[in-house]
């Protein structure tokens, strides 16, 4: 699987009931755990003081990422996503054989 840096900003539409927001957020937590278990969600952070997330996501390609991974999130209709494909850096200390 390829890795992607995904920045997500979620904006709840005006007039949405709190019940609907709570239902989708609960579903989002469940789906995130499922995607982590399948290896599609590797890491997820929230910048301090901000209502957005930054994560490392995995999929076969960007099309699959949008359709079969991010597209399955309950909050997806309210999300704006910026996707950056990633590749290994030769000096990445997490890679075996990294330069010393």
């Amino acid at each position: 699987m390829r890795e992607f840096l995904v920045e997500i900003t979620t904006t709840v539409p005006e007039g949405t009931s709190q019940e609907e927001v709570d239902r989708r957020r609960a579903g989002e937590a469940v789906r995130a755990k499922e995607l982590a278990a399948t290896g599609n969600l590797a890491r997820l952070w929230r910048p301090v003081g901000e209502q957005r997330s930054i994560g490392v996501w995995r999929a076969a390609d960007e099309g699959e990422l949008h359709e079969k991974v991010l597209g399955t999130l309950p909050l997806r209709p309210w999300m704006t996503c910026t996707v950056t494909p990633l590749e290994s850096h030769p000096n990445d200390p997490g890679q075996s054989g990294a330069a010393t």
Side-chain angles (χ1 to χ4, degrees), residues 10-13 16-32 70-79:
T10 303
T11 305
V12 177
T16 304
S17 71
Q18 189 60 48
E19 179 181 307
E20 176 69 6
V21 173
D22 293 344
R23 183 184 66 76
R24 286 184 186 244
R25 285 190 177 148
E28 190 82 6
V30 169
R31 186 64 182 136
L70 300 174
T72 67
L73 296 169
L75 291 171
R76 181 63 184 105
W78 301 345
M79 291 177 172

Side-chain angles (χ1 to χ4, degrees), residues 8-9 45-54:
I8 299 171
T9 302
W45 298 270
R46 173 168 287 147
V48 175
E50 297 185 30
Q51 291 298 311
R52 65 183 179 106
S53 62
I54 300 170

Side-chain angles (χ1 to χ4, degrees), residues 37-88:
T38 61
N40 295 107
L41 175 55
R43 297 294 308 267
L44 193 60
W45 298 270
R46 173 168 287 147
V48 175
E50 297 185 30
Q51 291 298 311
R52 65 183 179 106
S53 62
I54 300 170
V56 175
W57 297 76
R58 296 183 181 124
D61 55 42
E62 194 167 339
E64 179 181 278
L65 176 72
H66 284 285
E67 183 181 332
K68 296 182 179 178
V69 180
L70 300 174
T72 67
L73 296 169
L75 291 171
R76 181 63 184 105
W78 301 345
M79 291 177 172
T80 301
C81 299
T82 302
V83 175
T84 304
L86 300 173
E87 62 183 24
S88 295

